[in-house]
Amino acid sequence: MTAMKKIVSEIQSFHLFLRILIVLVTAGFFAAIARFTFGLGATTNLNDIYPWGLWISFDVVTSVPLAAGAFVLGAIVHCFHIKKLEPLVRPAIVTGFLGYSLVCIGLLLDLGQPQRGWHVFAYPNLHSPMFEVALCVMSYTTVALLEFLSPVCEKLGFHLPLRVLRTLELPLIVLGAAIATLHQSTIGTFFLIAVDKLHNLWYNPILPLLFWISAVFTGMCIIIIEAVMVHRYLNQPDETDLLATLARIIPWFLGIYLALKVFALFYLSERPLFDRPVLTALFTIEMVAGIIIPMIMFLQKRIRTDGVLQLRAAGLVVMFGLVLNRFNVSMFGMIQKNQQIYYPSAIESIVTIGIIAAHILFFAVVARYFPIFEHHSEDTDYAIADGFHRTKGPVVPEKV
Amino acid sequence: MSTTRDLSNQRTFLIDLTKCTGCRGCQVACKQWNQMEAEKTSFFKGEGYQNPATLSEYTLTTIQFKDYFHEGKNEFSFYKAMCMHCNDPACVSVCPVSAFVKTPEGPVIYDTKKCIGCRFCMIACPFGIPRYQWSKALPLVVKCTGCYSRVKEGLIPACAKACPTAIKYGGRQEMIDEAKRRLTANPGRYMNRIYGLEEAGGTSVLYLSAVPFDDIGFRNVTRRPLPSRTWAALRFVPAAFITMGGSLAFISWLTHRKEKIRRDKEMKEAGHASQKGDRS
Amino acid sequence: MAIGCNPAENHPISFKWIEAAIDKGAKLIAIDPRYTRTASKADIYVSIRPGTDIAFLGGLINYALTKNLIQTEYVRDYTNASFIVSEGFGFKEGMFDHWDDREKAYDVKAWTYATDETGKALRDPTMKHGRCVFQLLKKHYSRYDIDTVAKVTGTNKFDYLRVAEAFCGTGQPGKTGTILYAMGITQSTHGVQNVRATAMLQMLLGNMGVAGGGVNALRGESNVQGSTDYGLLFHTLPGYLPSPEYKDETLEAVIARYFPKTKESKSTNWWQNGGKYMVSLLKAWWGENATAENGFCYNYLPKRNGNHSYLQIIKKMIEGGLEGLVCMGMNPAVGGPDSLRAREGLGNLKWLVTADLWETETSIFWKRPGANPKDIKTEVFMLPAAASMEKEGSISNSGRWAQWRYTATEPPGVAKSDLWILDQFHHHVKTLYKKEGGRFPDPIVKLAWNYGSGHEPDVHQVAKEINGYFTRDTTIQDKDKTLEFKAGDQVPAFAQLQDDGSTVSGCWIYCGSYTSKGNMMARRDPTDLPNGLGMYPNWAWSWPVNRRILYNRASVDKTGKPFDPKRPVITWNGSEKKWEGDVPDGGAPPVDDEKGAYPFIMVPEGVGRLFALTMKDGPFPEHYEPIESPMKNPLSKVQNNPCAEVGTNVTCDLNRFPCIGTTYRMTEHWQAGAMTRSLPWLVELVPDMFVEISRSLANEKDIKNGDRVTVVTERGSIEGFALVTFRMQPFVVDGVSIEQVGMPWHFGYAGLATGDSANVLTSGAQSPSSSIPEFKAFLCNIFKGGKGA
């Protein structure tokens, strides 16, 4: 009972915002139960014309790139050895791990027979992009978990595992980036099969490549957003300068993306392109607000170095360059002419909101209880006491 | 995946819509053979006497009616919507648990015991065929089985058996030849096209029609087999993995080496300096 | 030509063969008030105002005559075109001569041929004589010019000409055409004359008796062919033998009255053998009790005192004149006209027995919507019946093939076959009569009933008796052969049936169906004849004597050479002196031979009757308007068929009922709906009652597709959904556009899927000869909204 009491008192000490999140997560949990009790037909607005709706569009197709910060930053910091950005790595890893775990939960909810999820391993189909994504997402989640276990072990003082994890850190990062490349792009490959369904504005053979590139720059932008958020709300230091460095890379990726996109549109896509006014509008917003404007913004030093403007530019990229793009590809661009429109049901919305709330909530909780913001150099040596025993005193050394 | 397997004897439907009278014998035979529930309907859903409105978890084939004036004359046309049993099926390629199989006899069948209900096949099918058991708590995908249980015993599908006029069933080359023969023998009667011959890379259901195919509900489907588009990207997976992993590993090694060299240099200089300091 | 029928929808299996013909180059002409699923497959579709078929066909007859498209040799040699008609025939201003205004009937016997002193009909082989049938025919149909016909039928003139050219073109050598018809032709106050017109057109074109020709009625109920063959209609005995009337006091009287002798030496006149068939039938019914001394129990046969057709029975029931009624697979509450009166009438019965697979509207008439069961005194018995695949027996198709079927599964619960039910009736009634006596028990008590002693009567015994057998050892001389038969042997063919009591036959036309060689109806050999015309002589068995095409002697010229060498139905082999091909219609040599015979063996003169001698309403079909009609008859002063029984609640008030109403069937439902409206897979297809209207009528009445509407006639009103379609078009009649409302009549208040019955709207106006109601043409009005509105 003491444990319960402790939990309750902890929660009561949470900020109101977090407590609201708890309510939303709980609501999402019950909505999920409703989905299993009454079935997908009764609880969602999905039907034979729209077999995939909000859960796939947001919880899978959008959430996966939103969690891309982990592998992007990991690669930048540890492979390219841009140590300046090192403090941002751990939070990114947590975001990544949480993001992918919630993707897995979202997927399980969306499946008709989630209890058969293991069938993907028992009856694999190497030609199926979904098999590849399932495999990669599961492996990546495992990698993210292992990466996440570092701060956990630090907090809980598990020395040997920590040492193992430390050794594995770089291989895991490389592995993570490699796996992430695969599934980020393969989510784009999903839609290659929808050749007569996805509108020509988005359908082209290099869709997977475009998805990967957008995942990369989104990851970077998410890091910016996250860093600004934790500075504003979790008392973390202002990392604007660090972020400015990151912001220098972003416009390059945006530029390459834009170039490829234009090339694909005019040389690889089928015609007609501009026959649907609503879709043309969505496409324009996506490209202008999501790519062109932020690119211009990030190219300017004064914006890169301004905390507020950084956030805005990054936000534009994420909102329009990524979220809108993913919805355009998986939902809006798939609507046929003169077809009924799909909109998510209450249960679908509550579940998705619950998942988003869970992400924020668990991040805040993890940030509160685990050392993800401590800056520590890679050079820190951990004395190895005999085997598994804890060292005396705090494991985490003083700031160097 | 490209295959060089010989399709000439694969079981194929030839549905000559100039002979179809819209009697729905096929619809009822299908329901009877597969023991599917009748849907609750009211009046008609669609033009003419159409019921139910479309394919569903309870209905594996429907006759779609079209009642209109074409070139100044009445037309009352009927289109039997059903799974096309493609030669290179999109559903087979995308299913993560290999629940769909293109059988050697021709029908594309589906193993209900493997399905996880992800509905990717529904997104993939260019003809919009697979339907979902929205009414069930643990839903599965549903589609025409090509009466495989009958075909593998040497019988013909239930709909083909019940149809008195329009459906022929036999080897693919035989059906193609017959279709071509009909088009040349009676050109005024037909639209000069065999639907299903090349759509999605070729299917096991071929249609002939008197009126334009677009008018009566046929979709315009690409001629290139759909799985080839996915495979064009997916085949790079191992390469992408190795390239990404390899280059990052290489870069890491490179930068760490640079670091090490730099640090060694620093330490050496520091050591020299301290040595120097010691001496003085 | 499919006129007044919809084979694609109502006889879908037949359509397979129609399409096979189309594949071989045939053209399908569909003539129907609306564009049906048959029309969708037709090469030529034309619309026709309901009830105007004689105008349409008369116009084709006129076209063939004036454009000289007739097959002259055939018409001259094989029809009565060359016969001279006596002065008793005349036609003026819409009426034929010899109309008795008191009897409200024609004196049919006045329309005769002019005869010589021996009584043989006079002829003019040149067909130019002013009183010969050919000239009279031409004169009669000269009034059916294309403009008049188009005016009456509402058919577009250009389309009509296409039909005329196409169909009348089949009179040319090497060409052939068939006419398919069904209820659209028969269900009219001039239904019989409609059929006559088709037969006349075919005779003029030389299409009777040839392959791909003929007048082909598409029989509806699955065994209506069998039902008429076995004499279930009130005016016939099995095998289309006449049912004697009260004035036929002896068997000899019957034979003299109905089986005339002929004066034509070359006419086979097969009905002259009718006496043998009557006797064999009587022997079948009363067995050993029927002897030559007692006229073979002829006096046990009930003698009819008039018309006891369906409508007369219902009328009597409505008047309270019927004590009890047995309905086996019959649903008067939905299937007959003026359903509301019929349903009320059922309440006048003391008892009602129904035998059906399901509850029908008739069996639950006492708890129908609006009825108070407490007020109804009728005792109702519902006998559950077995379905067709739950019993063994034969079914006869439109081609007269009797195909034997086996029991696929046992009937559910306590359902029983009709054979068992009738056997039980017989057993119990016989026992009651034996015990209690009665006014005249002998006809029942002395019935021969030899169908085995098992629980279920042996249907093979029934079939064998129908075929017939010898009651004693018999020797028959058949030309140069001597045939020996033992008692109990099956009779091989009706030519061997005798009138001395030595043979039994339950239905002479089926004699040959179950011989000593076994059950011919069960054969399934798909080998065709060498002529490859799809006759399959060893597949099942067709009456008569397995002949596949009737009147096939008309397919050869007088020397026995086929008119169409590509389609030789029969050919005379002069050297072997026999016919090859189909079973010839009478084995006699071709006409030119000394012993030759004419082709139409069932009429005394041996040739086809362009001029009819026995039709109640006239020797030539004449167009009259349906009883409820939107226009005045443009062809003559006589509005309706003068012989038609009109009934009381009919009207031509165009102010109240400006639209033409017609009824029809669909593939998805069966007749009154009892068999189909409780099957979920069929209910899924057509769940609700609906009416089909044109877009112009919908606009006029502000009705949208799917709206509820009410349709009203003088008899009553019903509610349904409106199906607005391009396939219905208004008729332009005298420059005025007249709309039509069409509807299926399958619905009722019983079963899984219910709806209002179309026959609430139809009237009891009936055809004089066949007594069939005029279901196909009446006047109605339509309003938006249900009956509550």
Side-chain angles (χ1 to χ4, degrees), chain A residues 342-354:
Chain A
Y342 156 84
Y343 56 87
S345 70
I347 301 269
E348 286 176 271
S349 311
I350 294 172
V351 165
T352 298
I353 291 170

Side-chain angles (χ1 to χ4, degrees), chain A residues 164-339:
Chain A
V164 170
L165 288 172
R166 274 314 212 155
T167 326
L168 289 176
E169 187 171 27
L170 189 57
L172 281 180
I173 296 235
V174 170
L175 193 63
I179 295 175
T181 301
L182 295 187
H183 64 251
Q184 293 290 353
S185 56
T186 306
I187 290 184
T189 311
F190 272 12
F191 296 96
L192 290 181
I193 202 99
V195 55
D196 291 314
K197 296 181 185 176
L198 179 57
H199 192 270
N200 294 325
L201 283 171
W202 292 278
Y203 187 91
N204 57 62
I206 61 167
L207 194 56
L209 180 60
L210 293 171
F211 264 43
W212 179 71
I213 297 174
S214 58
V216 170
F217 62 63
T218 300
M220 298 179 199
C221 293
I222 286 281
I223 289 159
I224 293 177
I225 295 174
E226 210 177 83
V228 173
M229 288 293 137
V230 301
H231 162 59
R232 283 196 198 173
Y233 302 111
L234 290 181
N235 301 319
Q236 296 303 318
D238 184 353
E239 309 279 15
T240 309
D241 295 326
L242 285 182
L243 297 174
T245 316
L246 196 58
R248 283 174 67 184
I249 314 173
I250 294 176
W252 290 99
F253 281 94
L254 287 172
I256 295 172
Y257 181 85
L258 182 64
L260 283 172
K261 191 82 186 185
V262 169
F263 171 71
L265 202 62
F266 291 110
Y267 291 99
L268 297 177
S269 292
E270 302 277 320
R271 300 290 176 271
L273 288 173
F274 304 113
D275 59 323
R276 308 262 298 275
V278 175
L279 294 183
T280 309
L282 287 170
F283 178 76
T284 313
I285 297 172
E286 176 198 320
M287 295 306 290
V288 170
I291 307 294
I292 297 174
I293 292 178
M295 185 171 80
I296 295 170
M297 285 170 78
F298 276 121
L299 281 171
Q300 293 167 44
K301 188 159 176 174
R302 75 172 177 92
I303 291 179
R304 279 205 300 274
T305 49
D306 179 319
V308 171
L309 291 175
Q310 269 177 356
L311 178 67
R312 289 204 189 138
L316 279 179
V317 172
V318 169
M319 191 78 77
F320 297 102
L322 195 284
V323 174
L324 181 60
N325 167 264
R326 293 301 196 263
F327 270 79
N328 281 342
V329 171
S330 64
M331 194 184 286
F332 306 134
M334 294 281 276
I335 299 179
Q336 305 306 310
K337 238 189 211 172
N338 303 321
Q339 209 173 58

Side-chain angles (χ1 to χ4, degrees), chain B residues 18-22 24 27 31-32 36 38-39 41-44 49 51 67 69 74 76 164-165 189, chain C residues 15-16 19 22-23 34-35 37 40-41 668 680-681 684-685 687-688 690 692 706 721-722 725-727:
Chain B
T18 67
K19 292 175 179 278
C20 174
T21 59
R24 271 88 68 86
Q27 249 182 265
K31 291 248 169 179
Q32 193 273 327
M36 311 289 279
E39 297 190 35
T41 53
S42 130
F43 185 49
F44 299 114
Y49 311 129
N51 254 335
D67 174 2
F69 260 106
N74 275 107
F76 202 19
T165 51
R189 188 157 135 182
Chain C
F15 213 74
K16 172 176 169 184
E19 288 193 359
I22 293 175
D23 279 345
R34 57 180 186 128
Y35 191 85
R37 286 180 263 190
S40 77
K41 299 285 156 291
E668 293 80 1
W681 293 326
E684 179 186 58
L685 299 175
D688 292 304
F690 65 96
E692 293 188 283
F721 285 97
T725 169
F726 288 104
R727 294 173 293 108

Side-chain angles (χ1 to χ4, degrees), chain B residues 229-258:
Chain B
R229 294 165 188 262
T230 313
W231 190 243
L234 217 51
R235 64 196 158 136
F236 291 120
V237 161
F241 183 74
I242 291 168
T243 309
M244 196 61 181
S247 19
L248 284 179
F250 179 68
I251 291 170
S252 308
W253 176 80
L254 213 57
T255 50
H256 276 91
R257 208 178 113 81
K258 261 175 44 190

Side-chain angles (χ1 to χ4, degrees), chain A residues 51 79 110 116 127-128 197, chain B residues 1 94-95 112 115 119 125 255:
Chain A
C79 298
D110 186 76
R116 288 183 180 180
H127 291 269
S128 168
K197 296 181 185 176
Chain B
M1 275 297 270
V94 301
C95 178
T112 53
C115 177
R119 310 187 295 287
C125 177
T255 50

